[in-house]
């Protein structure tokens, strides 16, 4: 994937570069590389460095920390889609003998299994994985659960190490090799690796009160690798962002990716700013909902977000343990691009063909006295909208048996059926036992509980 920076306006490119320069200077990071992806293409990349006249290009590797978890989650969802596991399965069904036998696969993916956030000492990120040679070494044996499973979001790095081990158990080979063959190679991500390959950035700590630096150790974290081992480049992360935005049937469908980015536990309040799906973090920034992940390991920070509504994604990578807030920077780059160059909607076009019977279903329908409208969309999709607002509006996809399956919102997974009179004319719509009629509480329709025979009247 090549840099398509000429596709952005000069004012946009200037604003993006300025934001990256400020982040590098104020964050006091040795180097920083960032990029913007629009509609699946890298349209801008920029970098700053402490070395005059030099800045890393999108082919330089950085450690991406917990962005690794998004890759592991894709491997697990591939297993689910192949029927090799169910997200409701207990881990012990497939990988018995760990301290998390009674935690489900879905809970591990969503960090809702209640597992400890970190391994027993020493700090796993700065020590060699040989210190934790067995899965039982990743969690305290006596107290592996800090919360009841399924009750709250509690981030767990060992939980993702166990998911990596689950992939190895079901595939019969190391998770890194499975990742390379099943995900990285099909997506053309040949610069994403478990250990650094030249050219790559060195990791540093920057003193909090003086402009001096300390090299951070380069570690192979062993069994903890699925929690944060990967190294990648700006060019490869642009490909990853494009995949997270649209899916790729060679790896994972768009439908499964949509499932991954739905909140799995919480958020519980209307003003939420962060949440978690199945391996994807959710973030609300300046009014837009983003999904992706942040990442950090000693010497490095990373952030990657996708805005589905804007058709944009952005990433930022730095080689300092702290200072530059790369997750925030990536979110800001999306906001800058969207403000300077808002998404141009696709032109309206009429349907290329239409079924007369489907067309006859469109128009007003009433649930009791509440008005709704049913619209016909492409590929026979029906869209139900509450005219007074509310949460029951949904889209429905046609099924082989003549029904429609709810795709989102209140009726997700529910069935819409067209109920007909003996003569074939339409009586009403049935959606999960709710009756929708052509008139409010229509006398002749099969309204549960019946309709007062005197009908509508003044009081």
């Amino acid at each position: 994937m090549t840099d398509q920076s000429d596709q952005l306006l000069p004012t946009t490119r200037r604003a993006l570069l300025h934001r990256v320069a400020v982040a590098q200077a104020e964050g006091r990071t040795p180097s920083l590389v960032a990029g913007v992806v629009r509609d699946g293409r890298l349209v801008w990349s920029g970098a700053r460095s402490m070395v005059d006249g030099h800045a890393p290009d999108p082919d330089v590797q950085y450690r991406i920390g917990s962005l690794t978890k998004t890759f592991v989650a894709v491997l697990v969802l591939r297993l689910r889609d192949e029927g090799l596991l169910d997200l409701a399965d207990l881990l012990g069904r497939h990988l018995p003998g760990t301290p998390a036998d009674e935690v489900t696969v879905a809970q591990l993916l969503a960090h809702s299994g209640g597992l400890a956030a970190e391994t027993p000492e020493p700090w796993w990120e700065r020590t060699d994985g040989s210190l934790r040679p067995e899965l039982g070494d990743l969690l305290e044996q006596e107290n592996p659960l800090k919360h009841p499973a399924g009750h709250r979001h509690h981030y767990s790095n060992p939980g993702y190490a166990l998911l990596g081990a689950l992939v190895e158990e079901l595939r019969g080979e190391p998770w890194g090799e499975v990742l390379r063959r099943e995900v990285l190679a099909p997506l053309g991500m040949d610069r994403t690796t478990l250990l650094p390959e030249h050219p790559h950035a060195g990791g540093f700590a920057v003193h909090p009160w003086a402009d001096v630096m300390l090299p951070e150790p380069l570690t192979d974290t062993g069994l903890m690798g699925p929690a944060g081992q990967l190294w990648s480049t700006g060019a490869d992360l642009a490909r990853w962002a494009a995949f997270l935005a649209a899916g790729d049937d060679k790896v994972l469908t768009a439908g499964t990716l949509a499932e991954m980015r739905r909140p799995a536990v919480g958020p519980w309040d209307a003003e939420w700013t962060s949440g978690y799906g199945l391996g994807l973090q959710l973030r609300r920034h300046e009014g837009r909902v983003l999904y992706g992940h942040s990442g950090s390991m000693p010497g490095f920070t990373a952030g990657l977000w996708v805005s589905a509504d804007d058709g944009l994604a952005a990433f930022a990578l730095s080689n300092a343990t702290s200072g530059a807030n790369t997750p925030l920077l990536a979110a800001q780059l999306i906001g800058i691009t969207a403000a300077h160059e808002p998404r141009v909607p696709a032109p309206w076009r009429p349907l290329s063909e239409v079924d007369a019977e489907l067309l006859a279903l469109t128009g007003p329908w009433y649930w009791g006295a509440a008005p709704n409208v049913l619209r016909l969309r492409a590929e026979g999709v029906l869209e139900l909208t509450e005219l007074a607002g509310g949460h029951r509006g949904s889209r429905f996809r046609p099924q082989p048996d003549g029904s429609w399956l709810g795709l989102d919102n209140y009726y997700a997974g529910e069935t819409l059926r067209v109920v007909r009179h003996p003569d074939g004319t339409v009586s009403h719509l049935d959606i999960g036992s709710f009756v929708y009629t052509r008139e409010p509480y229509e006398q002749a329709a099969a309204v549960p509980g019946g309709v007062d025979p005197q009908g509508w009247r003044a009081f």
Side-chain angles (χ1 to χ4, degrees):
M1 182 177 297
T2 58
D3 185 354
Q4 303 290 324
S5 57
D6 61 338
Q7 293 186 7
L8 293 184
L9 299 173
T11 53
T12 309
R13 300 201 300 271
R14 170 68 179 177
L16 293 170
L17 180 59
H18 177 264
R19 187 67 200 90
V20 167
V22 169
Q24 188 270 339
E26 294 183 351
R28 298 188 310 132
T29 185
S31 69
L32 194 153
V33 62
V36 172
V37 176
R38 183 168 64 185
D39 296 328
R41 297 177 64 86
L42 180 63
V43 293
W44 178 85
S45 64
R48 300 287 283 185
S49 168
M50 66 182 187
V51 179
D52 288 341
H54 170 76
D57 63 35
D59 192 48
V60 173
Q61 280 190 332
Y62 287 72
R63 199 166 193 175
I64 61 173
S66 287
L67 265 167
T68 301
K69 294 179 173 71
T70 64
F71 293 83
V72 174
V74 166
L75 293 179
V76 174
L77 268 295
R78 282 176 57 85
L79 293 170
R80 192 285 305 273
D81 287 356
E82 292 174 24
L84 297 179
L85 59 77
D86 191 286
L87 296 186
D89 289 345
L90 298 178
L91 180 65
R93 176 177 177 179
H94 303 285
L95 192 69
T98 78
D101 276 357
E102 300 303 310
V103 177
T104 70
V105 175
Q107 289 165 351
L108 291 173
L109 286 167
H111 297 285
S112 62
L115 296 179
E118 307 296 347
T119 68
E121 62 181 9
W123 181 12
W124 68 272
E125 292 178 341
R126 294 185 98 251
T127 53
D128 194 88
S130 62
L131 295 175
R132 292 163 293 277
E134 304 294 336
L135 291 178
D137 301 325
L138 304 184
L139 289 161
E140 299 174 7
Q141 295 294 321
E142 295 184 359
N143 187 30
L145 296 183
K146 304 302 180 183
H147 307 280
H151 281 230
R152 62 174 292 168
H153 176 79
H154 184 70
Y155 197 87
S156 174
N157 282 301
Y160 265 75
L162 294 176
L163 287 173
L166 173 65
V167 171
E168 294 189 353
E169 178 70 18
L170 295 182
R171 291 300 195 206
E173 58 183 319
W175 74 275
E177 178 57 28
V178 178
L179 178 67
R180 185 200 62 77
R181 186 185 68 253
E182 296 187 2
V183 176
L184 301 178
L187 296 178
M189 298 177 63
D190 57 0
R191 290 282 289 143
T192 300
T193 55
L194 289 175
L195 293 173
E197 297 180 358
H198 184 77
H200 67 85
F204 294 92
V206 177
H207 195 286
W209 317 124
D211 290 335
V212 293
M213 305 192 309
L214 183 74
E216 290 274 21
L218 194 165
T219 54
D220 182 344
T221 57
L223 292 178
M224 285 298 295
Q229 181 69 31
L230 287 178
W231 294 67
S232 191
T233 67
D236 266 14
L237 288 184
R239 294 181 175 91
W240 190 238
F243 164 72
L244 292 178
D248 186 318
D249 288 348
K250 297 191 300 292
V251 177
L252 209 62
T253 66
T256 298
L257 281 167
E259 181 184 358
M260 292 176 65
R261 63 179 181 258
R262 287 196 291 268
V265 177
W268 303 114
D269 61 292
E271 301 302 320
W272 68 273
T273 56
S274 64
Y276 211 91
L278 300 175
L280 292 176
Q281 288 178 332
L282 310 174
R283 177 171 184 155
R284 180 178 285 174
H285 179 75
E286 296 180 348
R288 56 176 43 90
V289 175
L290 311 175
Y291 63 91
H293 219 287
S294 58
S296 67
M297 287 291 281
F300 297 92
T301 66
L304 182 152
W305 302 111
V306 178
S307 172
D309 289 343
D310 296 299
L312 292 172
F315 61 85
L317 303 167
S318 82
N319 63 330
T321 304
S322 58
N325 189 336
T326 47
L328 175 60
L329 174 59
Q332 291 171 334
L333 296 181
I334 289 175
I336 289 170
T337 307
H340 282 74
E341 301 184 30
R343 191 177 199 178
V344 177
W348 175 86
R349 292 186 177 92
L351 298 176
S352 58
E353 57 182 359
V354 64
D355 184 318
E357 289 193 2
L358 290 185
L359 186 60
L361 293 178
T362 62
W365 289 90
Y366 297 86
W367 177 59
N372 297 259
V373 65
L374 194 68
R375 294 181 173 89
L376 176 61
R377 301 303 190 191
E379 299 179 347
V381 169
L382 297 176
E383 182 180 60
L384 184 71
T385 304
E386 291 185 273
L387 293 183
H391 64 288
R392 297 192 192 277
S394 299
R395 293 173 303 133
F396 298 85
R397 176 181 293 140
Q399 301 298 297
D401 65 357
S403 66
W404 283 260
L405 181 67
L407 300 179
D408 48 25
N409 302 328
Y410 186 81
Y411 288 123
E414 303 289 345
T415 298
L416 182 156
R417 293 185 176 87
V418 178
V419 181
R420 298 181 181 273
H421 294 295
D423 64 2
T425 59
V426 174
S427 167
H428 60 276
L429 305 180
D430 180 295
I431 310 179
S433 84
F434 283 0
V435 171
Y436 285 75
T437 58
R438 278 300 194 183
E439 299 293 338
Y441 280 128
E442 188 175 344
Q443 287 277 1
V447 177
V451 177
D452 189 304
Q454 296 184 51
W456 297 95
R457 58 194 184 277
F459 284 89

